[in-house]
Amino acid sequence: MLTPYMSPIERIWYYSLRLICALILLFLVLPVLVIVPLSFTSGTFLVYPIQEFSLRWYQDFFSSAEWMRSLKNSLIVAPAATLLAMVFGTLAAIGLTRSDFPGKALIMSLVISPMVVPVVIVGVACYLAFAPLGFGNSYLGLIVTHAVLGVPFVIITVSATLQGFNYNLVRAAASLGASPLTTFRRVTLPLIAPGVISGALFAFATSFDEVVVTLFLAGPEQATLPRQMFSGIRENLSPTIAAAATLLIGFSVVLLLTLEWLRGRSEKLRTAPVE
């Protein structure tokens, strides 16, 4: 907010900074938003200008057996991988945060390494590991690998939440006779729930959007929505891909709004006075 005592140079800098930020935001968002109007074209090519608006390609998306199968596969793999990532990531974060032992930094680096290792390396490694076990071209191999990719996000968000956690509450529950499982379920989990859910949403988005690992591990029957989009781009650049991309953009916006709501809730829980 501008104050009366600001000099002309300060006022110019005030508006210039906001203009620069707006241009940077537009530069980042515009390439994504360009695809949205193209999903409503009535033509068969992804070109501007749009001659006539139509829902033809959305109808094609929801009436296509291939697209619906890929969407169903994504809705099978992503929730299952998210559940595994949420459970193992939360337990790992609690163990790494509450304990201090030799090699802790090394273990932390290993568990979050899937976040920084190139995905193609993860895909090749998982394929070589799962193929002899018969998990290639199976839902199980795909779910486990997606869960591995999502675990680091859960660990980071839950660890950040645990930094402000009051462990006196756990000690108080234990002193009143609560078992460790009851203490975790009734005290710890409700307080770290925003971090757990935030990590789960990141893990879900990672799994739902993953295509490289899916190319290595999934067969034709396990093809997910991103893989179907990738195949469509290589074979036939149909506006149906733009319709699918628009749906994914809307889904991502909902996820981001949910994350922002959880961040605000977590901040309120962290700053709320203890009675």
Side-chain angles (χ1 to χ4, degrees):
M1 183 177 180
L2 290 173
T3 54
Y5 56 81
M6 292 181 68
S7 66
I9 296 179
E10 290 175 330
R11 291 174 181 271
I12 292 174
W13 172 248
Y14 178 87
Y15 289 112
S16 299
L17 180 61
R18 277 149 184 78
L19 178 61
I20 293 172
C21 292
L23 291 175
I24 293 175
L25 180 62
L26 183 64
F27 174 78
L28 294 174
V29 175
L30 189 59
V32 177
L33 297 182
V34 163
I35 199 69
V36 176
L38 290 175
S39 67
F40 295 97
T41 183
S42 60
T44 56
F45 299 99
L46 296 174
V47 294
Y48 281 104
I50 298 175
Q51 300 298 326
E52 184 179 353
F53 285 90
S54 172
L55 296 177
R56 167 186 177 184
W57 302 111
Y58 288 93
Q59 182 180 0
D60 181 70
F61 175 83
F62 288 106
S63 61
S64 171
E66 290 184 354
W67 285 104
M68 286 297 96
R69 183 176 67 248
S70 64
L71 178 60
K72 182 193 72 172
N73 289 335
S74 291
L75 294 177
I76 291 174
V77 173
T82 300
L83 181 61
L84 289 177
M86 184 172 59
V87 172
F88 291 112
T90 300
L91 295 177
I94 293 175
L96 291 171
T97 303
R98 296 188 60 178
S99 305
D100 192 10
F101 52 88
K104 176 180 176 180
L106 177 61
I107 294 178
M108 186 67 174
S109 300
L110 289 175
V111 294
I112 67 172
S113 61
M115 182 183 292
V116 295
V117 173
V119 183
V120 64
I121 296 178
V122 177
V124 172
C126 291
Y127 174 77
L128 294 176
F130 290 157
L133 301 177
F135 291 159
N137 297 340
S138 69
Y139 285 107
L140 180 60
L142 199 58
I143 290 171
V144 170
T145 306
H146 281 203
V148 170
L149 294 175
V151 163
F153 295 97
V154 180
I155 291 177
I156 290 176
T157 56
V158 175
S159 297
T161 305
L162 287 171
Q163 294 301 320
F165 185 78
N166 186 1
Y167 287 99
N168 290 327
L169 299 175
V170 176
R171 299 186 184 97
S175 68
L176 295 174
S179 65
L181 182 60
T182 302
T183 302
F184 175 78
R185 183 172 56 87
R186 301 291 298 273
V187 178
T188 305
L189 187 58
L191 292 176
I192 67 173
V196 175
I197 298 174
S198 297
L201 289 176
F202 277 116
F204 184 88
T206 300
S207 175
F208 202 86
D209 189 52
E210 179 54 47
V211 62
V212 177
V213 167
T214 309
L215 291 173
F216 282 98
L217 297 178
E221 295 301 320
Q222 294 83 38
T224 59
L225 187 57
R227 175 174 170 174
Q228 183 66 29
M229 294 175 65
F230 181 78
S231 299
I233 291 174
R234 290 191 307 169
E235 298 169 2
N236 180 24
L237 194 57
S238 168
T240 307
I241 299 174
T246 302
L247 294 174
L248 289 179
I249 291 171
F251 177 72
S252 301
V253 170
V254 173
L255 280 182
L256 291 174
L257 292 176
T258 305
L259 287 171
E260 181 61 23
W261 176 79
L262 290 171
R263 187 198 63 79
R265 185 176 184 274
S266 178
E267 188 66 23
K268 290 180 180 179
L269 288 175
R270 187 175 301 177
T271 58
V274 179
E275 298 181 358

